[in-house]
Amino acid sequence: MPRESIKHRKQRAQIVVDRIDAYYPETSGFLNYNNPFELAIAVVLSAQTTDRAVNLVTPALFTRWPTPFSLADASVFEVEEVIHSLGFFHTKAQRVVACAQTLVIEFGGEVPQSASELMRLPGVGRKTANVILNTAFDIVEGIAVDTHVDRIAHNLGLSDAKSPTKTEEDLLNLIPQDQWKNVNHRWITFGRTICKAPRPRCEECFIADLCPQETPHCVKDVLTD
């Protein structure tokens, strides 16, 4: 495929966003939570496991330790017993207790509302911070690039970055800021249902004409000079 101009790539990215938004108009988050604290802990637990698996353990976890203060005082061993069905539960138990302790010591038990402060919590990185801000506080500072968003961006030729952080930078430069909010949840749904790994369902894809992986001859047809 010939090298694509930035103008055409932005046009194509906009059409991608518009079509995915139209196809999944009601998509929301996949983790169950009642407040920002529960969401923060659930997101930390969701690393390298499914949201469904996390949703199975968090009711018992938050019934036993419903606040940052109670979880900060919890025994790591007892937390392990509650979340043992999750992958890497030893490390995750340590992280969620440490996360609660940091919330108590540094933030008075309140979940902070900036990415820089959230990333001071154990187990919270750039992606996790974006999820918490976007979902719990309706604050949009960026796009949460998980494995689905990263794969879709690369499959669509919207990024060739070697890290999720750089992929996010590419997407932020292509997609208008007022549309960042819905990219994560809707693109995750698209990644789970159609643009799947390792075998995407290209024959069912409603943006196949925009995808250089599947139909490179079609891409320019939907763009304007």
Side-chain angles (χ1 to χ4, degrees), residues 202-221:
C202 299
E203 70 283 355
E204 302 175 24
C205 184
F206 54 89
I207 57 173
D209 57 322
L210 299 165
C211 181
Q213 301 292 329
E214 175 65 8
T215 52
H217 60 283
C218 294
V219 171
K220 193 171 181 180
D221 293 344

Side-chain angles (χ1 to χ4, degrees), residues 2 11 20 28 41 44 47-48 94 107 114-116 126-127 151 161 175 178 181 187 195 202 215-216 218:
Q11 290 175 345
I20 292 179
S28 59
I41 297 301
V44 171
Q48 296 180 288
Q94 294 171 2
F107 301 104
S114 74
S116 59
R126 173 74 184 177
K127 181 204 78 173
R151 181 177 69 255
I175 299 171
D178 62 355
K181 178 177 174 59
W187 286 31
C195 196
C202 299
T215 52
C218 294

